[in-house]
Amino acid sequence: MKPRIAIHKFSSCDGCQLSLINLGEDLLTLASRVEIVQFAEAGYLAAEGEAAEVDIALVEGSISTPHERERIQTIREHSQLLITIGACATSGGLQALRNLDDSRDEWMSAVYARPEVIATLAHATPIAEHVKVDYELTGCPISSVQLLAVLKSLLAGVAPRIEQEPVCMACKRAGHPCVITSRDLPCLGPVTRGGCNALCPSLGRDCFGCFGPLPEGNTAALAERFKADGLSDEVIARRFLLINSHAEPFRSEGLKWRENDYE
C-alpha cells in the first residue's frame, strides 16, 4: 500500500505549494510512489476532507482565524507525520507583522466595509504553537529541492537532514563576494538559514532572511555592525521584523532596536 500524503493550506499566498508543483517531472515521479489524497492547488480533494487518514501532512500557512485553529487540530489527529512548509507555517510569515501592532480594529475598519463579519484571531501564529510539528521547512517560498529530499528520506525510512548552516556558506562555495564587507549592505546572511543557494547575494543584493533565523545566530553582533554602517534604529529593527518577525532570535533583536532597548 502506498503512503498517503495530504497538502493543506492555511493563511498564505500558495507560493510554497507552487514550489511543489514546480517540481515538474520529479513531482510525477513522487506521485507514482505515494497516494496524494489532498492537494487543492493541484486538484486533489479527499472525500473525507481534512479528516482523511494520512502518513504525511504538509501544511502551508499560519493560523490566523478561529476556523484555522480548529482545522489544524483535525489534521494533526489524522496525520502520522506533520511537516510545516514555508515561513508562514513555521514562523507566522508576513501575516505575523500584525502581531507588532495594536491597531487591528482601526485598520480592519479602514479596509473592510463591514469589519464585524471578519473572523480573525488577535495574532497570526505558526503551526507549532497549536499542534506538534515533526519537521519544519523554512523559506519564502521553500526550496522545492529541500522538500523533495525530505520526502525521499521519509519514504526510504530515513530521518531527513534539514540544512542548518548560514547563507554565508553558500556564498563562499559559489565564490560570491560578501556584500557586507564589499558594499556595506545590511545582509542577514550570517544569521539566516541556508536553502536558497544565496539567491539575493548572487545578484549583488543583501539577504532579507527569507529562510528564517539560525537558532544560535549572533543577531546582536550583526545589528551592531549595521549600526556602525550608519543604519538607524528603525531600519535595523525592520531588517529583523520582516518575513520571519515572529521567529526567535529575529523577533527579540528587532524589538530591542524598535524600542531602543539595546544599551
Side-chain angles (χ1 to χ4, degrees):
M1 185 175 179
K2 293 181 178 180
R4 290 162 59 89
I5 291 182
I7 298 94
H8 300 285
K9 169 187 164 59
F10 286 75
S11 292
S12 62
C13 71
D14 291 16
C16 293
Q17 293 182 81
L18 290 174
S19 293
L20 181 56
I21 292 176
N22 286 340
L23 283 170
E25 292 187 5
D26 285 333
L27 177 58
L28 297 178
T29 301
L30 175 66
S32 69
R33 299 180 58 191
V34 302
E35 180 185 359
I36 300 177
V37 301
Q38 178 85 12
F39 190 3
E41 188 78 15
Y44 293 90
L45 294 173
E48 312 96 313
E50 287 159 350
E53 297 291 338
V54 298
D55 297 286
I56 301 172
L58 302 177
V59 179
E60 175 196 71
S62 65
I63 303 299
S64 300
T65 69
H67 179 53
E68 289 180 334
R69 187 170 54 190
E70 295 174 4
R71 285 176 56 212
I72 195 59
Q73 298 291 338
T74 300
I75 290 169
R76 176 68 270 189
E77 290 169 5
H78 296 278
S79 306
Q80 292 296 316
L81 292 175
L82 190 148
I83 304 173
T84 50
I85 57 173
C88 296
T90 59
S91 69
L94 288 174
Q95 299 90 273
L97 286 172
R98 66 185 173 93
N99 302 350
L100 304 170
D101 188 11
D102 295 328
S103 58
R104 180 170 65 99
D105 293 340
E106 180 180 337
W107 60 255
M108 283 184 63
S109 297
V111 173
Y112 300 103
R114 296 182 59 196
E116 67 275 9
V117 305
I118 306 299
T120 183
L121 297 171
H123 298 100
T125 47
I127 301 297
E129 290 195 14
H130 301 270
V131 297
K132 176 189 174 185
V133 171
D134 297 291
Y135 299 101
E136 292 186 331
L137 280 176
T138 58
C140 187
I142 56 166
S143 161
S144 55
V145 174
Q146 276 191 347
L147 176 59
L148 185 61
V150 167
L151 292 176
K152 284 183 175 179
S153 294
L154 292 173
L155 293 176
V158 178
R161 177 185 175 277
I162 298 176
E163 193 163 351
Q164 296 289 335
E165 65 179 25
V167 172
C168 297
M169 296 300 291
C171 276
K172 294 297 184 184
R173 285 193 292 267
H176 303 316
C178 176
V179 297
I180 297 179
T181 58
S182 65
R183 301 179 59 189
D184 291 331
L185 294 180
C187 181
L188 291 178
V191 296
T192 298
R193 294 176 189 260
C196 62
N197 289 323
L199 177 61
C200 292
S202 73
L203 300 172
R205 298 291 303 274
D206 42 321
C207 169
F208 286 85
C210 299
F211 273 69
L214 286 166
E216 299 178 359
N218 194 342
T219 55
L222 187 61
E224 290 293 343
R225 169 61 193 252
F226 293 165
K227 183 70 172 179
D229 286 339
L231 270 66
S232 68
D233 293 1
E234 180 181 0
V235 171
I236 294 172
R238 288 181 178 180
R239 295 300 298 179
F240 293 102
L241 301 176
L242 188 59
I243 297 169
N244 289 283
S245 65
H246 198 71
E248 293 294 347
F250 281 8
R251 178 178 174 81
S252 57
E253 191 66 41
L255 289 176
K256 182 171 70 174
W257 288 87
R258 185 188 190 198
E259 298 164 5
N260 308 117
D261 186 26
Y262 51 83
E263 297 297 339

